[in-house]
Amino acid sequence: MTTVNSFQVDLRGLVDLLSHHLYSSPRVYVRELLQNAVDAVTARHAHEPGAEVRIRLSATDGHVSIEDSGIGLTADEAHSLLATIGRSSKRGGEHGLETTRQEFLGQFGIGLLACFVVARQIRVVTRSAKDPHARPVEWLATDDGSYTVRELPDEARPEPGTTVHLQARPGAEEWLVPAKVEQLARDFGGLLPYDITFDDGSGAEPRPVTDRPAVWDRPFPTPAARRVALAGHCSQLFGFSPLDSIDLDLPVAGVRGVAYVLPEPTSPAHRAGHRVHLKGMLLTDQADNLLPDWAFFVRAVLDTDALRPTASRENLYDDETLAAVRDALGARIRAWLTELAASEPERLATFLSVHHLGVKSLARHDAELLGLMLPWLPFETSDGSMSLEEFSAAHTEIHFTRTVEEFRQIAPIAAAHGLGVINAGYTYDADLLALLPSVRPGLKVTELDAGAVTDRLDPVPTSAELALAPFLSTARTRLEAQSCDVVLRAFQPVSVPALYLDDRQARQERDRAVAQENADSLWAGILGSLRGSAPRARLVLNHNNPLIRRIAALPDAALTGTAVESLYGQALLMAQRPLRPADSTLLNRAFLGLLEWATHTNAADSAADTEGDHR
């Protein structure tokens, strides 16, 4: 007898919900078909351990079917399990399956109804393995919200199991094309525990879908052969040849897989998508919460039976279990680094030449690892590119700059005068230098300031400085508006006429002054009250430089002031500091002043020459 029934839900609304909100793509319908078939076979094995295993996926244009030798359903079960959203045949306590619940992939009972994202009709022909007297049952549902259940003759399905037929809905035909179905089946089901075949309806022999065991679990004759196989797997899966591979084996957490090291540097802000299988079924290839943030230099693929999926079964649920697994996987990557440092320094050096940024990110939270990596991590220093181990051996007091521009200006001068300076303008370097005294207690690490550099430069003899007092007074007066002091020192290299130095307090004072200029009267008064006691930026003039001596000897005070402004502007540009409006105005004024002086002088010389010729 055939009965016509309606689902206990607005099916059209459900399809919209599934396709636009729950699932990222209609492609997941293949996963649902495979999942139901695998769960049915698992249930059959719990009931009948010696039963055959058969799962066969077929596709012709516009139609897809999957046949399994699983547990099957009776007519009553078809009513109760296929018609009510949220109910599942895999729940513990039903149908005597309490002992196998943990073996099932499905957890949310949406099941076949999810196939309506691509199908206008779903037909299920099933026969129960639990009741030998039960007849085959047909469950036929359409996307208008109705379904029928009827019993069929024995010959309609002689053996227990289930066959599901899908007929494409208009606009979804592309998802039922045989090549697409086969590709999706391999993608989702390649690691499933049962053999699955695919038939494209051409008459050719069905092709295997599953490819087990996973490449990381296969035996290989040598470690080198295993590395080659893993590299090929990575190239096929992710599209790159890995720099190295790291086994991710956590038996306690039910996790097994591999992490592939990217062959090119990548940004720490880039969150790579990792590939996660749940009990062999692909859950997602975009898991961005699987590994710690610092492990941005690897792409991972693994299989797990312990982590929870989200409701859509397209990502991992971020709970305490995942947090523990994430920490454990991070520890495994850290252990790999430790092993390389201890036994394969050449491989470590190759890795760090590409991914030192990732290791620095990890080491800033791990003093022990920082100590281990000190001989390897590269830093830009006033003595050249070297490790902190090498640099600290030459300098017991280490200074650092917070910007690349500041370092590049000061590095040549610091090197010439024995001042140890590290460029901490790159990501994570300042954090690591702050940790350095904890792993090397004898070291002193301080931020470079204008006073420290000035004190290291050679003082000018008192008699020479007194002789240049008028010049220095003119220079200081001219730069007073820029909150910049002028100091005379002798330093190397001689080719550098002037050096602009400041520190954090000086930069804050400049920012405050700019803000005060642009603020209303109330805020200008408040910002004015916060003004520092003295300017901290310094223009250090090099007494060894011939140009400085010639400028100091100029008889024209106005020309001297213009020359000092030019030196100030040139030092700012060499330091690659951002120019304030006042600095830009000064540079423009100095440039035009020098042009006027040069052209006026040339004109006067030409006039004198002409007058001499007339005579």
Side-chain angles (χ1 to χ4, degrees):
M1 178 179 178
T2 300
T3 58
V4 180
N5 307 269
S6 294
F7 291 101
Q8 303 301 307
V9 71
D10 175 5
L11 189 56
R12 293 186 185 278
L14 172 67
V15 171
D16 179 73
L17 174 68
L18 295 178
S19 60
H20 293 98
H21 301 285
L22 184 60
Y23 294 136
S24 62
S25 166
R27 68 196 293 268
V28 298
Y29 87 92
V30 174
R31 184 195 65 198
E32 296 294 342
L33 290 175
L34 293 174
Q35 179 174 287
N36 285 340
V38 168
D39 286 344
V41 170
T42 301
R44 176 82 180 273
H45 270 211
H47 175 75
E48 188 183 343
E52 69 165 331
V53 173
R54 185 180 68 258
I55 302 177
R56 182 171 181 169
L57 182 66
S58 305
T60 57
D61 287 342
H63 293 83
V64 167
S65 65
I66 187 167
E67 179 187 4
D68 67 67
S69 58
I71 194 69
L73 298 172
T74 65
D76 290 343
E77 290 168 351
H79 272 297
S80 63
L81 301 177
L82 295 178
T84 306
I85 301 302
R87 189 171 174 83
S88 173
S89 62
K90 280 84 78 173
R91 292 185 175 180
E94 296 186 23
H95 311 292
L97 302 181
E98 298 91 334
T99 60
T100 61
R101 180 176 184 268
Q102 67 273 18
E103 301 300 326
F104 291 110
L105 299 170
Q107 296 289 328
F108 298 93
I110 294 175
L112 282 176
L113 295 183
C115 293
F116 276 118
V117 297
V118 298
R120 71 176 184 85
Q121 178 181 279
I122 301 175
R123 179 173 178 257
V124 179
V125 178
T126 182
R127 185 165 191 164
S128 175
K130 294 176 293 182
D131 183 356
H133 303 293
R135 295 173 62 187
V137 176
E138 179 194 68
W139 180 88
L140 182 65
T142 58
D143 61 0
D144 64 1
S146 65
Y147 72 94
T148 63
V149 176
R150 64 171 178 150
E151 291 187 342
L152 301 175
D154 285 343
E155 58 269 19
R157 185 171 184 96
E159 300 296 331
T162 301
T163 303
V164 179
H165 303 272
L166 304 183
Q167 184 176 345
R169 61 188 298 123
E173 292 87 357
E174 63 175 301
W175 296 104
L176 280 71
V177 174
K180 171 71 76 173
V181 175
E182 182 177 14
Q183 182 263 321
L184 291 176
R186 293 181 187 278
D187 202 34
F188 280 115
L191 298 183
L192 286 172
Y194 306 119
D195 290 336
I196 300 172
T197 59
F198 176 78
D199 184 356
D200 62 6
S202 65
E205 188 72 18
R207 296 181 288 273
V209 167
T210 47
D211 185 20
R212 303 186 322 275
V215 64
W216 54 83
D217 283 330
R218 296 174 190 172
F220 293 96
T222 64
R226 185 174 189 270
R227 283 197 294 269
V228 170
L230 288 173
H233 177 252
C234 176
S235 180
Q236 181 181 15
L237 204 61
F238 295 124
F240 65 85
S241 183
L243 196 64
D244 210 337
S245 58
I246 308 167
D247 283 319
L248 303 178
D249 189 5
L250 304 175
V252 175
V255 172
R256 182 81 176 113
V258 62
Y260 294 115
V261 180
L262 293 166
E264 302 290 341
T266 186
S267 167
H270 175 66
R271 295 178 67 85
H274 306 292
R275 191 174 176 90
V276 179
H277 296 257
L278 180 61
K279 302 184 180 77
M281 181 73 78
L282 177 66
L283 184 70
T284 179
D285 56 7
Q286 294 297 322
D288 59 2
N289 56 356
L290 179 66
L291 296 179
D293 289 343
W294 54 261
F296 52 82
F297 51 85
V298 300
R299 294 284 298 277
V301 54
L302 55 81
D303 189 22
T304 175
D305 57 17
L307 300 178
R308 289 177 57 196
T310 58
S312 65
R313 294 196 290 278
E314 293 189 280
N315 213 332
L316 293 170
Y317 187 78
D318 213 334
D319 56 9
E320 292 182 357
T321 302
L322 177 58
V325 168
R326 183 164 50 237
D327 290 344
L329 292 176
R332 182 65 198 91
I333 296 173
R334 181 191 181 282
W336 170 78
L337 284 170
T338 304
E339 292 163 8
L340 285 187
S343 60
E344 300 185 75
E346 290 184 0
R347 284 178 64 196
L348 178 64
T350 301
F351 166 75
L352 288 177
S353 68
V354 178
H355 293 299
H356 58 273
L357 200 58
V359 179
K360 287 181 177 182
S361 175
L362 173 58
R364 66 198 174 114
H365 300 297
D366 190 332
E368 182 181 353
L369 182 66
L370 175 59
L372 183 69
M373 291 291 119
L374 281 181
W376 307 102
L377 289 176
F379 285 80
E380 187 177 7
T381 79
S382 53
D383 294 346
S385 180
M386 62 179 60
S387 71
L388 286 180
E389 183 88 354
E390 296 172 301
F391 193 70
S392 61
H395 302 276
T396 56
E397 183 176 2
I398 295 176
H399 299 275
F400 67 90
T401 64
R402 289 190 178 272
T403 67
V404 176
E405 294 77 17
E406 186 178 7
F407 172 80
R408 288 176 179 170
Q409 182 197 22
I410 198 63
I413 296 163
H417 292 268
L419 189 66
V421 182
I422 292 179
N423 181 4
Y426 297 118
T427 307
Y428 308 132
D429 284 4
D431 295 335
L432 293 180
L433 290 172
L435 282 175
L436 191 55
S438 66
V439 296
R440 293 291 186 273
L443 287 177
K444 180 181 179 182
V445 179
T446 57
E447 182 175 357
L448 186 71
D449 60 33
V453 178
T454 306
D455 291 344
R456 285 297 188 101
L457 304 181
D458 295 334
V460 176
T462 304
S463 57
E465 188 161 5
L466 287 174
L468 296 177
F471 162 68
L472 292 176
S473 177
T474 299
R476 287 167 183 152
T477 301
R478 201 64 174 253
L479 295 183
E480 183 178 357
Q482 312 305 125
S483 297
C484 182
D485 196 8
V486 177
V487 178
L488 187 65
R489 290 289 187 272
F491 57 86
Q492 301 295 327
V494 174
S495 58
V496 177
L499 183 65
Y500 181 84
L501 298 174
D502 66 355
D503 52 25
R504 188 185 302 178
Q505 288 179 306
R507 291 190 287 271
Q508 290 174 344
E509 174 63 20
R510 286 202 308 274
D511 292 341
R512 183 207 60 77
V514 171
Q516 183 180 359
E517 291 175 5
N518 299 324
D520 56 29
S521 58
L522 174 61
W523 281 107
I526 295 174
L527 292 169
S529 67
L530 298 176
R531 181 174 182 176
S533 58
R536 295 194 176 262
R538 296 183 181 185
L539 182 67
V540 183
L541 302 179
N542 188 0
H543 190 251
N544 291 337
N545 183 272
L547 177 62
I548 296 297
R549 295 188 180 189
R550 288 198 296 272
I551 292 174
L554 289 172
D556 187 339
L559 179 58
T560 300
T562 300
V564 169
E565 288 182 339
S566 300
L567 290 171
Y568 171 83
Q570 188 264 352
L572 276 181
L573 294 174
M574 290 296 294
Q576 300 185 41
R577 301 297 174 89
L579 298 180
R580 298 169 296 169
D583 295 329
S584 299
T585 300
L586 176 145
L587 273 172
N588 186 56
R589 182 175 65 241
F591 177 71
L592 293 176
L594 289 177
L595 283 178
E596 184 179 354
W597 176 82
T599 55
H600 176 76
T601 301
N602 288 337
D605 291 343
S606 297
D609 292 341
T610 301
E611 184 178 349
D613 291 341
H614 286 314
R615 288 177 183 174

